[in-house]
């Protein structure tokens, strides 16, 4: 029987077992005056769904790669595409929890409105980066939790979901990468938990994540350059150290360009690297995606909440993401995430203060 990874870590070798996600959430409940335990139960249900998805994401990938015939049921389910499967898992587990008055998914046209007075709204992207599944590149799951305004007095409605991101009470993402990391916040900082697959437990691996004030890496799909507005093109040249006529390197202080370039094409992977190392990620609007590509409610808002909890910034290029008032469930928004200074520099180009 292979030893569980958590027993191999130096701290555990000394007989100290790391903090599990369950314990972390329980501590949060004890710190929350008057908590009934519903929120805790909801987070535990989300953790269950994530662990089920993790096991299938890996199995599906394996079957895909090695053409395992032994896993025909996986093959069968792969007919049921992975983003549909992950959607079903999250919908099923969240509905069963009984805590959700409203459940909305990138994969469902309409929000599910419960016939009970569930206190919470959960909005999610069940499988982010799905175009990368068959290339075995990091993919993920993203979610946000809101509390309904008057749960006992009102029936669940779409209006409960169309709230600004500043009202989020919990948000997180899972990156199914070389390891499975779950980054989550309930408003008291952003914390990373790594899954020990041998025992199916998440252990606190990155407590209180802080985004560096400024980074040295930028992340954007340069293939869209010709479609960007002139101000975004100016920023893209600046970040690559291409000097406009008459500008001296001093004019760029305190920034040291050119920045390095990294782009995975899965928001969870590009966002996680930016959260951990600093720098900037941007998916601006362009002549093809006129309001941007990423969705406000279950991609931009949860990521913005986490970045701000980690001392970073998140805008649509100009305004704070968490202050945007949603009008539609699947509306798209330009998204800029990263170190405060780098997001501020980007904004200077958008508003014309830098050329
Ligand atoms: P509840 O009564 O369990 O629905 O919790 C009420 C509110 O207290 C939640 O909406 C959270 O804002 C906060 N809270 C409750 N449990 C926790 C927890 N485990 N971690 C962080 N905040 C919590
Ligand atoms: P999803 O797979 O949930 O539709 O999200 C894909 C998104 C996001 O993960 C990523 O940042 C972006 O698509 C990449 O888009 P491009 O391929 O146009 O760069
Ligand atoms: Mn996505
Ligand atoms: Mn998706």
């Amino acid at each position: 029987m292979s030893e569980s990874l958590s027993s191999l870590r130096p701290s555990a070798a000394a007989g100290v077992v790391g903090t599990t996600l369950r314990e972390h959430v329980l501590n949060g409940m004890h710190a929350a005056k008057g908590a009934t335990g519903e929120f805790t139960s909801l987070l535990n249900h989300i953790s269950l769904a994530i662990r089920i998805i993790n096991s299938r994401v890996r199995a599906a990938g394996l079957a895909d790669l090695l053409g395992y015939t032994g896993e025909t049921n996986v093959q069968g389910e792969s007919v049921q595409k992975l983003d549909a499967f992950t959607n079903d898992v999250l919908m099923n587990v969240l509905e069963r929890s009984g805590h959700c008055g409203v459940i909305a998914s990138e994969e469902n046209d309409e929000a599910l409105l419960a016939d009970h007075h569930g206190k919470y709204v959960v909005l999610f992207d069940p499988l982010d980066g799905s175009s990368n599944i068959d290339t075995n590149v990091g993919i993920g799951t993203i979610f946000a939790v809101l509390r309904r305004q008057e749960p006992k007095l009102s029936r669940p409605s779409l209006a409960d979901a169309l709230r600004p991101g500043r009202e989020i009470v919990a948000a997180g993402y899972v990156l199914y990468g070389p390891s499975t990391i779950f980054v989550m916040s309930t408003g008291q900082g952003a914390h990373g938990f790594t899954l020990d697959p041998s025992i199916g437990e998440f252990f606190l691996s990155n407590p209180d994540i802080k985004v560096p004030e400024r980074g040295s890496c930028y992340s954007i799909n340069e293939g869209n350059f010709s479609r960007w507005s002139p101000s975004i093109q100016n920023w893209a040249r600046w970040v690559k150290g291409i000097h406009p006529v008459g500008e001296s390197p001093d004019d760029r202080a305190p920034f040291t360009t050119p920045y390095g370039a990294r782009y995975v094409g899965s928001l969870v992977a590009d966002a996680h690297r930016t959260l951990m190392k600093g720098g900037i990620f941007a998916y601006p609007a362009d002549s093809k995606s006129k309001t941007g590509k990423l969705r406000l409610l279950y991609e931009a808002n949860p990521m913005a909440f986490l970045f701000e909890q980690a001392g970073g910034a998140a805008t649509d290029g100009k305004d704070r993401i968490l202050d945007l008032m949603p009008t539609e469930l699947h509306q798209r928004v330009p998204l800029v995430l990263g170190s405060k200074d780098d997001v501020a520099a980007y904004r200077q180009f958008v508003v014309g203060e830098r050329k």
Side-chain angles (χ1 to χ4, degrees), residues 270-294:
D270 288 316
H272 185 63
R273 181 198 54 251
T274 308
L275 188 79
M276 300 307 287
K277 300 203 161 179
I280 186 166
F281 166 87
Y283 205 110
D286 60 40
S287 54
K288 185 178 136 210
S289 314
K290 297 213 182 324
T291 56
K293 173 179 182 181
L294 300 174

Side-chain angles (χ1 to χ4, degrees), residues 128-130 132-133 135-140 175-178 264-269:
D128 174 67
S130 21
N132 277 325
I133 291 174
T135 59
N136 206 28
V137 165
I139 51 180
L175 173 55
Y176 312 107
V264 176
S266 296
L267 173 60
V268 282

Side-chain angles (χ1 to χ4, degrees), residues 182-212:
F182 176 24
V183 175
M184 195 263 284
S185 174
T186 57
Q188 290 81 32
H191 309 282
F193 300 84
T194 298
L195 182 69
D196 177 341
S198 66
I199 56 173
E201 278 287 358
F202 278 107
F203 285 89
L204 182 63
S205 50
N206 306 78
D208 205 17
I209 297 168
K210 288 294 170 217
V211 186

Side-chain angles (χ1 to χ4, degrees), residues 106 125 128-129 295 299:
E106 178 199 42
D125 175 359
D128 174 67
R295 278 58 52 130
E299 288 177 313

Side-chain angles (χ1 to χ4, degrees), residues 23-61:
E23 287 164 333
H24 177 88
V25 170
L26 213 52
N27 294 339
M29 185 181 84
H30 295 318
K33 284 210 174 352
T36 62
E38 288 169 272
F39 186 80
T40 296
S41 167
L42 175 59
L43 293 178
N44 288 335
H45 278 85
I46 290 173
S47 167
L48 169 66
I50 285 168
R51 283 174 287 142
I52 294 169
I53 291 172
N54 173 71
S55 68
R56 192 48 50 88
V57 159
R58 299 198 182 283

Side-chain angles (χ1 to χ4, degrees), residues 8 16 39 60 76 111 122 190-191 195 205 214 223 241 255 279 312 327 340-341 354:
L8 298 181
V16 175
F39 186 80
V122 181
H191 309 282
L195 182 69
S205 50
R214 192 176 326 121
F255 301 93
T327 51
K340 272 194 174 128
D341 290 359
R354 275 186 189 253

Side-chain angles (χ1 to χ4, degrees), residues 116-120 148-156:
H116 55 68
H117 290 267
K119 196 172 183 180
Y120 292 101
R148 291 180 56 230
Q149 309 285 327
E150 293 295 338
K152 298 281 179 244
L153 306 177
S154 62
R155 297 193 60 74

